Structure formats: C-alpha cells, structure tokens
Amino acid sequence: MESTQRESERDRLAAERDRLAAELAAERERTALLADASDELLASLNLERCMDVTARLAARHLAEAAVVVVPRSGRGYPVAACGPGGRVDHRVLMSDPAEVEGLADAMRGFPPAPHRWIDPREAPGWITGIVPAPPAAILVIALPGHGVPAGALVLLRRSGPEAFSAGEELTIRLFAGRAGAALSAARLYAEQAAITATLMRELLPPRTHELDGVELAARYRPSGDEDLVGGDFYDVYPAGAEDSEAESLVVLGDVCGKGLEAAVLTGKIRNTFRALLPMADDHRRVLELLNGMLLHGESTRFVTLVLVSARRQGAQVRLRLTSAGHAPPLIVRADGTVETAATRGSLIGVLEEIDSTTAEETLDPGDACLLYTDGITEASGGPLGDEEFGEERLRAELARCGGMPPEALVERVHMLAAEWVGAGGHDDMAVIAITAPGRSRIGVAGGRGRLTI
C-alpha cells in the first residue's frame, strides 16, 4: 500500500516537474519572441518595415500566416501579408474592412476591441488566399497604439485545433502590444515627417532663374549641418510679363538669431512680402509695413534686409537698391573694380519710424551686384582660427572675379567663406549675384583668360 502511494507521489511530482518545465520552456520561448520583436520593431520608424516585421514574426511564431492592416493612407488601407513561406507581400486594400467581422472594430483603436474569432468560410480571399488550403482557425486582434490607432493583426492556422490555447493567446496579446506601439510610433513619425516636409517647402529658399534677361544665382547654407533652414533668407519675384516697364524684385534678409524660431519668423516675413508685391516699386512703403507687422507681433526679433528692383534695359540692367540695417550690396564691375552701393537704412522691427535711402545703379554687360549676409563677412576661422573673414578680404577676392557669371561668383564667395571657417561653427550664409549678361566670360578667377563666345 505504502509502495503504491510512493509511486503515485513520484508520478505526481514527475508530472508537476514536466508541467513546470513545459511552462518554463513556453515562457522562455515567449520572452525570446517578445525580445526579438522589440529589437526588430524598434530598429526603424519606417511604417512599411514595421508592418513587414510584424507580419513575418507573427507568421513564424504565432500561426502559419498573418496579415497586418493599418489605417487608411490615401485611397486605401495598407496591408502586409506573410504566408507559410515567410515572404511578405504589400498591397493596398480598397474594400471596406467592415466586410471582415471584427476587423473594423479592431482598427478603430479606442475603445479597445476584444479579439474576435471568425469563420474561415466567411473570410474574404485577400485573407485566406495567403495559405494553400482553407485555414482551420482565424483570429482578428487589435494592435493597440499610443495616441493613434495602429491597425489590426489577422492570424491564420491552417491545421491543428480550431482555437489557440490560453498560453498562445497571452503571447499573441503581448506581441500585439509591442507591434501596436511600434506601428503607431512609425505612423506618427510618418505623419509628422509629411507635415514637416510640407512646411519646409514654404521655408526653403526658392530656386533662382533668369528674370526677364537679368541673370541671377544664389547659394544658401544654414548654420547647423543638420538644418535645412535658418534665419537668413532670400526671395525672387519676377516682373509681370504684361508690363515691359515692370521690375523684378529680389529680397535678401537676415533675421536676428538662428535655428527653428528664426526660420518661423523668416516664413512670416516672406509671406508678408508676397502680400505686399503690388506696392513693391515703393521700397520705403514696403519696409514701413513690414516694420509695423514685426513691431505688433509676438516675436521680439528684428531683421535686416536688402531690396533690389531689377529691370533689363537694352544691354544694361537698371537696379534700385535699398538697405534696411543690412550691409550694402557690392557692385563688381567686369574689369574687377568693386564699388559699394550708396544705400543705407535702419533695422526692421526695432523702432516705430524707419529710415532708408535708395540707391540706383546700372550694370553693364559682365557687371554684377552681390548681396550677402553677415554670415559671410563674420565667418570666424582662418590660420589662427578666430579671425573674421571681413569685408576687406571679401572685396579683395571680388576684385579677382570681374566678369564671372553669377553661378561662378556665388560659388566662389561661398567656397571662400566655407574654407575660412573650416570645421568650425558658423552663422547662416546667404549670397545672391545679379548680373547683366555679357558677351565675354572669365574662365579663370583672377581676370586671366577671357574667352569670347
């Protein structure tokens, strides 16, 4: 009797050990899966890659096939499907997710929807088609996101029991939580990146082009290597084609400060200029209105500006130039003579009353007008590492650039400042060259080697 009891106890203990060992193995397997899922899902903020990883891991460890459906993007719902072979196919679902029982609720995100078993015979072909034979069980489970709906996961088992065990369902829920967090983060990043790109298009300097026979080129370099925009800006407004006497307007400015806050104010100033274009022939009036806008705004930053109105007249280009607290433009004659435009003015956004003087210049063929921000002249570096590039050095270099086409001229100035700074920090840099087309161009900096074309 006692022997039978001891054997029964041994059998019970052995069974308990086997059960605990199985639970431990299952827990280790679950932990390894969740760790792998976290590593792979968090390795990228790309939505399509996160969908790919979710479908592939789910098909490999949780079922024999898996489908990931995320909220609508454009015309349809992005879908990633992985079959038994491990290949993930991406497509766009054009039909209504509500056609699949529980799928629409799972994708809604809030309130949390419980997982839903669906009859494989009623599942649409875009789900059942990823397995070679009709599945035995299909589970629809929500992918809980943070802040936004993340989507839904559909698991297919083509053989075995028609349901998942309690342990399997626990693993699925934990996996869905990690996948949902990664997918929602990727979706939020994609949406923010799209918004940023849209806003950035409005802040980025425009492409330059010929303005009714007036040649133009520009270069821009923000202060941070990772930045796309900053406090320096320029804009180009072509003259109306219907008016032969109309002038094109070129604006170069420098907002106090740098970085994102300066870039935001830059965008406001550029939008204001667009609204003031009908009165662009009156530089002083435009500056007064802009000054009022800045004084009555929330920002305490000020801005320096140069306005240039340009019009082609025969072989020459007539310019009207107005500086508002900005370094006056430099006129680079074809023979290398460098002159300073006789314009001056007060800062914009500081005083109620502004002062400005407009200068008139004429560019003969080969002459150029150079506009630049203080990021060029105040570039700190050189042999000692702390010397400013300075206006005197800039003028000396420009004397070797007479007759250069605008693209070469701005590239030369930008390169000189960049070389002077080296690897050190610098302010935003912006340069614009306006030239009257000439019959000859200098092929070599320094005035040597004229080629007539």
Side-chain angles (χ1 to χ4, degrees):
M1 185 68 175
E2 291 181 2
S3 175
T4 303
Q5 290 178 343
R6 286 195 298 270
E7 290 180 1
S8 177
E9 182 65 16
R10 282 197 300 269
D11 292 341
R12 186 185 68 79
L13 291 175
E16 182 67 13
R17 284 196 300 270
D18 291 342
R19 184 184 66 79
L20 293 174
E23 289 183 359
L24 179 60
E27 186 61 33
R28 285 175 175 171
E29 183 178 354
R30 180 184 301 122
T31 302
L33 166 61
L34 297 177
D36 290 344
S38 297
D39 290 343
E40 290 199 50
L41 287 167
L42 297 177
S44 172
L45 283 175
N46 179 276
L47 180 60
E48 186 171 300
R49 172 173 165 73
C50 287
M51 294 174 63
D52 188 288
V53 171
T54 301
R56 178 166 44 81
L57 290 178
R60 181 189 303 169
H61 298 284
L62 305 178
E64 291 169 294
V67 179
V68 177
V69 187
V70 298
R72 178 187 291 273
S73 175
R75 295 183 301 166
Y77 298 84
V79 173
C82 183
R87 176 184 172 183
V88 179
D89 293 320
H90 291 268
R91 69 191 75 169
V92 176
L93 176 64
M94 305 304 296
S95 58
D96 188 351
E99 295 178 0
V100 180
E101 183 181 358
L103 182 57
D105 291 337
M107 294 183 61
R108 194 170 295 118
F110 187 85
H115 62 271
R116 185 76 61 87
W117 293 97
I118 62 175
D119 188 341
R121 294 170 296 181
E122 297 179 359
W126 60 271
I127 291 180
T128 59
I130 63 174
V131 291
I138 298 179
L139 177 67
V140 177
I141 185 169
L143 296 173
H146 294 302
V148 295
L153 174 65
V154 182
L155 298 176
L156 297 87
R157 175 177 285 170
R158 60 177 180 171
S159 60
E162 295 184 357
F164 294 93
S165 68
E168 289 173 327
E169 289 195 23
L170 173 61
T171 302
I172 291 170
R173 285 196 298 272
L174 293 174
F175 175 83
R178 284 163 171 75
L183 286 167
S184 62
R187 185 179 171 206
L188 280 173
Y189 178 81
E191 291 178 352
Q192 292 173 355
I195 293 172
T196 300
T198 301
L199 296 176
M200 197 64 68
R201 282 195 294 270
E202 291 297 316
L203 295 176
L204 287 173
R207 293 182 178 181
T208 55
H209 47 79
E210 186 177 285
L211 297 174
D212 191 25
V214 180
E215 293 184 339
L216 184 73
R219 289 291 182 275
Y220 176 73
R221 181 184 181 186
S223 58
D225 292 336
E226 296 82 15
D227 297 334
L228 294 177
V229 295
D232 288 6
F233 66 95
Y234 63 84
D235 251 322
V236 179
Y237 306 99
E242 67 280 356
D243 187 353
S244 60
E245 296 297 317
E247 299 171 309
S248 297
L249 180 67
V250 179
V251 180
L252 178 75
D254 184 358
V255 172
C256 171
K258 53 188 176 181
L260 182 58
E261 290 186 8
V264 170
L265 183 56
T266 292
K268 293 181 180 178
I269 293 172
R270 292 176 64 190
N271 288 334
T272 302
F273 266 111
R274 292 188 185 100
L276 297 177
L277 277 180
M279 57 184 70
D281 58 334
D282 188 344
H283 287 188
R284 183 180 179 85
R285 182 58 178 156
V286 169
L287 293 175
E288 287 175 342
L289 293 172
L290 179 62
N291 186 63
M293 184 274 289
L294 292 179
L295 286 176
H296 296 95
E298 296 181 357
S299 176
T300 58
R301 297 173 183 267
F302 60 86
V303 61
T304 67
L305 291 167
V306 176
L307 308 184
V308 180
S309 294
R311 177 168 57 90
R312 181 73 177 268
Q313 191 173 60
Q316 298 176 322
V317 172
R318 303 288 187 182
L319 301 178
R320 291 190 303 113
L321 309 99
T322 304
S323 172
H326 201 93
L330 298 177
I331 308 300
V332 184
R333 302 297 179 185
D335 62 3
T337 301
V338 180
E339 305 168 0
T340 302
T343 176
R344 61 177 179 80
S346 53
L347 298 169
I348 303 299
V350 177
L351 303 173
E352 290 287 346
E353 298 292 333
I354 66 168
D355 180 37
S356 66
T357 300
T358 299
E360 295 187 3
E361 295 284 351
T362 299
L363 301 182
D364 293 318
D367 293 348
C369 174
L370 186 76
L371 318 179
Y372 60 94
T373 59
D374 59 11
I376 299 295
T377 52
E378 295 180 3
S380 181
L384 301 179
D386 59 355
E387 184 181 0
E388 287 190 355
F389 187 67
E391 183 180 343
E392 183 177 347
R393 187 172 283 106
L394 175 62
R395 294 174 68 96
E397 293 291 346
L398 291 177
R400 303 185 180 96
C401 300
M404 273 190 175
E407 295 84 358
L409 182 57
V410 296
E411 188 64 37
R412 176 66 175 167
V413 173
H414 183 272
M415 181 190 69
L416 289 170
E419 288 180 346
W420 189 261
V421 169
H426 61 86
D427 200 356
D428 300 327
M429 299 179 181
V431 186
I432 295 181
I434 304 169
T435 67
R439 291 185 297 273
S440 62
R441 293 296 190 196
I442 293 181
V444 181
R448 297 172 296 177
R450 289 185 181 272
L451 175 64
T452 302
I453 55 176

